[in-house]
Amino acid sequence: MNRRNILWSAVSALGAALGASSAKAATEAGARNKLKVVYHLNDAEKVNFVLGNIQNHIDGVGGPDHVTLALVIHGPALKAFHSAQANPDVSKRVGDFSKDGIELAACGNTMKAQNVTLKELLPGFVSAEKGGVVRLAELQSQGYLYLRP
């Protein structure tokens, strides 16, 4: 009976030690490998909602240093980011996101269709030359999680 208790205690201690080691390794791996997320926006009526989601995401993880984010915009939603038409709140958020290192990609096909150049969009945008959907696929192939609010 005494041997069983000793053996059980040893096995329990070993299990606890291995569990703690695994938890520590997972935490350290998580710190090295930031979550990568791409947001997809093409609905004009969802512009403020999606920008709010991105800000909530940044706040929820403790700041922009704890996540790698991208926003890919195409279709009617891109008009909200034309410098001449953008409302002040959208302009401020885009500027903040750009400073935080978020990739802001505008679909090259949509830019042509809307007859707008990169210089006519809010500062911080890059062109997704091959198209917004191609950029989304590229980012997903690089391990980005896809969100379309």
Side-chain angles (χ1 to χ4, degrees):
M1 192 79 157
N2 205 7
R3 285 185 186 172
R4 279 191 197 155
N5 289 342
I6 293 171
L7 180 60
W8 182 250
S9 295
V11 169
S12 295
L14 180 61
L18 288 175
S21 175
S22 295
K24 182 180 176 190
T27 300
E28 289 173 354
R32 285 191 310 266
N33 300 318
K34 293 189 300 186
L35 194 61
K36 298 186 296 186
V37 180
V38 58
Y39 282 83
H40 177 187
L41 174 61
N42 73 327
D43 298 322
E45 63 276 0
K46 290 188 177 181
V47 168
N48 288 320
F49 180 72
V50 171
L51 296 179
N53 271 248
I54 292 171
Q55 187 60 58
N56 290 341
H57 197 140
I58 292 168
D59 295 342
V61 298
D65 295 337
H66 301 283
V67 65
T68 300
L69 294 173
L71 171 61
V72 178
I73 303 168
H74 67 99
L78 189 62
K79 287 187 178 184
F81 300 92
H82 291 202
S83 295
Q85 301 182 121
N87 74 45
D89 182 54
V90 169
S91 297
K92 181 186 179 324
R93 286 183 181 206
V94 166
D96 291 346
F97 293 161
S98 181
K99 289 176 191 169
D100 288 343
I102 295 173
E103 177 185 317
L104 304 165
C107 173
N109 297 325
T110 300
M111 289 171 57
K112 287 177 192 171
Q114 293 180 3
N115 198 29
V116 66
T117 65
L118 207 51
K119 291 179 182 179
E120 294 170 295
L121 295 177
L122 294 172
F125 273 90
V126 297
S127 177
E129 293 290 329
K130 298 176 189 173
V133 293
V134 172
R135 185 63 185 142
L136 287 165
E138 290 170 348
L139 290 168
Q140 288 179 71
S141 75
Q142 295 169 18
Y144 279 71
L145 300 173
Y146 171 83
L147 292 179
R148 183 173 180 186

